[in-house]
Amino acid sequence: MSSWQQMITASSEHDSTENMKEKKFLYDIVANGRNGIDVDKFDYIVRDSRACGLGCNFHFERLMESMRVMGDEICYRAKDYLTIHKLFATRADLHRTVYTHAKVKAIELMVVDALLKANDFLQIASSIRQPAEFWKLDDSILKIIEFSNAQELKEARDIIQRIRRRELYQFCNEFSVPKDKMEHFKKITPQDIICSQKTGGVTLEEEDIVVSNVKIDLTRGRNNPLQRIMTVMRYSQSKMIASATCCLHFTKI
């Protein structure tokens, strides 16, 4: 695995690699597997909050100005614990109110289906391991598919046009799993839904259903994420370690 690939993969997965014998903190910058504080979150939390018209109380500049490398790890001032808490709390709020919103998930699933159907013709996946080509992949790929006359892109084109007309995959139901049941909760699958449908009317197949099992917490499950950060004082608060799980069901018809 090349160094640039390791930089965008959580650092905890590469603790034993040769490249991390020195300056391990470099692998915490983009995707921090040790404590979850990284520039990726700095970027999308501020960007998405602004794009959605939401307020953002997290100011990453404060952390950037005060962070220091100590013991080969990026450390923060103890008095910045509230700023760090806002980072994790804002991320969780975005997942609850934006990323897992029924219409957002429906559009996400439709875009994925469109790209999968267009992949054989456009060879989209071939760019994944070619940085010089990968960076060119942006929202314009949807326009390319939508305005193409190629018969090979008809299925993908139809899906994108459905998005434009707001004919989205139909949201069916959701179920919130109580915290005391989460440990023994089995993820729901399309097969579970099919087996539960009643006879008569429309008969759904597994490929007609998408189940999204979502777990939202502060990146460390029931654990306080601040306990993994060096030099930060302990900060125990029940709402910080609360987590929630829900299932979103969609049909593609």
Side-chain angles (χ1 to χ4, degrees), residues 41-56:
K41 290 185 181 66
F42 293 176
D43 173 55
Y44 75 73
I45 286 176
V46 176
R47 179 196 65 215
D48 295 347
S49 295
R50 182 183 297 117
C52 295
L54 303 175
C56 181

Side-chain angles (χ1 to χ4, degrees), residues 25 28-29 32 37-39 42 58 60-70 73-77 80 84 231:
F25 71 90
D28 294 338
I29 295 174
N32 192 335
I37 303 177
D38 49 56
V39 295
F42 293 176
F58 167 65
F60 68 88
E61 297 89 350
R62 182 181 178 90
L63 295 181
M64 294 284 285
E65 292 172 359
S66 62
M67 64 175 61
R68 296 290 185 273
V69 176
M70 300 172 60
E73 184 170 349
I74 300 174
C75 304
Y76 306 87
R77 295 182 302 184
D80 286 334
I84 296 173
T231 75

Side-chain angles (χ1 to χ4, degrees), residues 107-108 110-116 118 122 124 136-148 153 156-161 163-164:
I107 293 174
E108 175 188 324
M110 295 178 76
V111 169
V112 169
D113 282 350
L115 294 178
L116 287 173
L122 297 179
I124 301 170
K136 300 176 184 178
L137 293 178
D138 56 19
D139 291 350
S140 63
I141 189 71
L142 300 181
K143 290 287 187 181
I144 293 174
I145 297 172
E146 184 177 10
F147 295 118
S148 171
L153 294 177
R157 187 164 55 245
D158 289 344
I159 293 176
I160 294 175
Q161 290 174 352
I163 296 175
R164 303 297 187 199

